[in-house]
Amino acid sequence: MKKFAAMISLLCILPVLNGQMQDAVNKIRSEYQLMGLSVVTVCNDRITGSFNAGMRDYERNLPVNDSTRYRIASISKLVMTTGLMILYDRKLFRLDEDVSNYLGFTLRNPNHPETPITFRMLLSHTGSINEGTGYDAFLMDTYNNVSNPPDFSQLLIPGGKYYTEDMWRKEAPGEYFTYCNANFGLAGTLIEKISGQRFDEFMKENIFLPLGISCAYTVEGLPDLNNLAVIYRNEEGQWVPQTDALRGKLATPRDFSGYKTGTNAAVFSPQGGLRISASELARVMILHLNKGTYNGKRILSVKSIRLMHTPQWKYNGTNGDDVGQSRCWGLSVHILTNTPSGDIIFRDARMMGHTGDAYGLKSGFWFDPVSRSGYIFMTNGIFKQPAPGTSSAFDSFEEAVSSAAGEYSFVPCKKIRKSLHK
């Protein structure tokens, strides 16, 4: 009876809270002069609110809606690793196994040639790989020649076409955290090597279709380009498109048909290229909150979810690049330690997830496994650059979204959750 009463309470209070949350989203959009903003809240394993403001396409005067897909930047990594762990569940690799066993070449830090680089290291940014000066040229040639991209060995092995000495840190693999996008193009390639499937096809079959969503890591894989958010920056007082300004049609789609599986899955941009709506991404969050199940169907094991959420690296003052936020990481999951004025969102909850920041987009994917609730936000452009945050290492825009989500969604959800278990 108490559970029933609590659920009725939730149903009664949600419309009021959602109205207040929409007002808050509108205010944030106006204060920070955002192009567009989407926020989705999750409570008790379901989406409890979806809030939108602003424009997805300024030139065509198209508003953001629940179906608007954004290029979410680095949150793509967490989604990719969720897929990779399906192969772990199938016992096709071990986390502490040398990735060289699958790559077709021996991957070693030339400064520490005796130390293998493992899956765990790649996924926790401790593999000692840097984004050296050769990385951008490698990535551009990858994107511009998707049928025959350069092999990762050309970037990471001394003597390779794109190799530069600053591709590797002086510290030994496993000892030092440095955030590195190259890890995840490499991890996407490992998915291909192990599964025998193209990265995009593997993710679609094993994650996206089971979750009932039609997102994609490339624009070529999307079913509808009209709802794709253009990403903007303020350049000299004008909104200037940075990426995905397609006006609903891809004039010259790239041809992936000649791509050889296992060569270089960075062609699909697993490190940052996922185009997905906030509501679709919420299903990935629910999968994590439900310990690997969605809609009653098991997609990932409880063990794999637990491993992703378990600290694999923790900052001790000298063992990593510290920018105030990165103090603890699981497997592609940023785990907050609630350090005052640092990596803290809510004092009474240990949040985890990921952020995204590229081309003018900012995004966040934050959840609390204990209360099984969280929130997602995405904006496709900030005209007025946010100031540093006042209570954390996050900026003032991120703090404003978190504060609104806390007041109108997260905290009420925790209270309702508690009453359900009395």
Side-chain angles (χ1 to χ4, degrees):
M1 191 68 180
K2 288 182 179 179
K3 289 186 178 181
F4 178 75
M7 189 58 66
I8 293 298
S9 173
L10 172 63
L11 294 175
C12 291
I13 198 173
L14 269 179
V16 175
L17 292 174
N18 284 352
Q20 293 171 328
M21 184 66 183
Q22 183 62 61
D23 290 343
V25 166
N26 292 340
K27 181 179 179 181
I28 291 168
R29 191 249 171 173
S30 175
E31 179 179 351
Y32 289 94
Q33 300 175 42
L34 307 178
M35 176 56 70
L37 176 63
S38 292
V39 181
V40 163
T41 56
V42 173
C43 177
N44 293 337
D45 315 327
R46 69 187 185 97
I47 294 173
T48 53
S50 181
F51 314 95
N52 303 291
M55 310 301 294
R56 70 180 190 266
D57 189 323
Y58 181 69
E59 285 74 17
R60 294 195 293 163
N61 197 35
L62 298 177
V64 173
N65 58 45
D66 286 347
S67 299
T68 298
R69 294 189 174 97
Y70 298 75
R71 185 189 188 279
I72 59 169
S74 287
I75 300 173
S76 306
K77 297 176 174 69
L78 185 152
V79 180
M80 184 221 73
T81 301
T82 303
L84 175 62
M85 294 305 285
I86 289 174
L87 299 176
Y88 176 82
D89 283 345
R90 296 174 186 169
K91 302 185 186 306
L92 296 177
F93 73 92
R94 301 186 306 276
L95 282 175
D96 294 314
E97 191 172 3
D98 185 348
V99 297
S100 303
N101 295 340
Y102 302 92
L103 287 174
F105 62 91
T106 300
L107 182 67
R108 291 289 187 274
N109 182 332
N111 303 303
H112 301 276
E114 73 289 348
T115 306
I117 295 167
T118 68
F119 288 85
R120 193 188 304 270
M121 292 174 186
L122 290 181
L123 300 177
S124 60
H125 297 280
T126 59
S128 73
I129 302 174
N130 257 337
E131 285 175 27
T133 52
Y135 180 66
D136 285 348
F138 170 80
L139 208 57
M140 288 307 299
D141 284 354
T142 294
Y143 292 154
N144 292 332
N145 191 12
V146 296
S147 286
N148 188 28
D151 191 275
F152 258 98
S153 61
Q154 294 294 308
L155 175 69
L156 298 170
I157 302 298
K161 179 180 178 181
Y162 306 93
Y163 178 80
T164 52
E165 289 188 5
D166 58 355
M167 281 304 302
W168 294 98
R169 294 197 63 87
K170 300 300 182 183
E171 297 86 0
E175 292 185 358
Y176 193 91
F177 172 94
T178 189
Y179 191 91
C180 181
N181 287 294
N183 290 340
F184 290 84
L186 195 60
T189 305
L190 286 164
I191 286 179
E192 295 190 340
K193 291 283 192 179
I194 296 169
S195 70
Q197 287 182 276
R198 244 174 52 172
F199 173 77
D200 58 335
E201 294 169 352
F202 176 88
M203 292 298 296
K204 181 177 180 179
E205 177 182 322
N206 291 280
I207 296 294
F208 303 149
L209 288 179
L211 292 179
I213 56 183
S214 52
C215 56
Y217 274 87
T218 64
V219 291
E220 288 85 357
L222 293 175
D224 178 18
L225 296 177
N226 272 305
N227 243 329
L228 184 62
V230 183
I231 310 300
Y232 296 90
R233 278 199 174 112
N234 172 2
E235 295 185 0
E236 298 181 355
Q238 300 292 324
W239 285 115
V240 178
Q242 304 296 307
T243 189
D244 292 350
L246 304 176
R247 303 185 66 83
K249 184 178 180 181
L250 193 56
T252 54
R254 294 171 297 172
D255 182 7
F256 292 84
S257 62
Y259 174 72
K260 183 179 178 182
T261 299
T263 300
N264 175 1
V267 299
F268 304 106
S269 193
Q271 75 279 5
L274 182 60
R275 275 81 169 179
I276 189 170
S277 70
S279 295
E280 289 174 323
L281 188 59
R283 299 189 181 198
V284 178
M285 180 175 286
I286 291 169
L287 176 69
H288 278 259
L289 294 174
N290 279 349
K291 299 180 180 179
T293 64
Y294 181 79
N295 209 18
K297 179 181 179 181
R298 180 155 298 284
I299 297 173
L300 204 59
S301 71
V302 174
K303 179 181 179 181
S304 284
I305 291 290
R306 187 178 294 124
L307 281 167
M308 289 186 69
H309 296 180
T310 298
Q312 308 293 330
W313 168 86
K314 194 168 183 178
Y315 185 60
N316 66 12
T318 60
N319 65 340
D321 300 334
D322 176 36
V323 293
Q325 297 177 20
S326 290
R327 295 174 180 267
C328 185
W329 282 80
L331 299 176
S332 306
V333 176
H334 186 180
I335 302 169
L336 304 189
T337 66
N338 287 2
T339 299
S341 300
D343 60 338
I344 182 169
I345 294 177
F346 304 124
R347 287 185 175 85
D348 61 344
R350 187 62 59 85
M351 305 296 285
M352 60 180 64
H354 216 294
T355 58
D357 189 344
Y359 301 110
L361 170 131
K362 269 188 172 287
S363 56
F365 177 98
W366 295 111
F367 63 93
D368 172 26
V370 176
S371 65
R372 292 164 68 189
S373 51
Y375 64 99
I376 292 163
F377 68 86
M378 307 171 182
T379 180
N380 57 330
I382 304 179
F383 202 81
K384 176 185 176 183
Q385 287 306 305
T390 59
S391 59
S392 73
F394 297 99
D395 66 36
S396 57
F397 161 67
E398 293 169 299
E399 286 190 346
V401 176
S402 298
S403 177
E407 184 172 358
Y408 302 119
S409 176
F410 186 82
V411 172
C413 177
K414 286 190 71 178
K415 291 178 180 177
I416 292 164
R417 188 81 195 170
K418 184 177 180 181
S419 67
L420 284 170
H421 289 279
K422 281 184 178 179

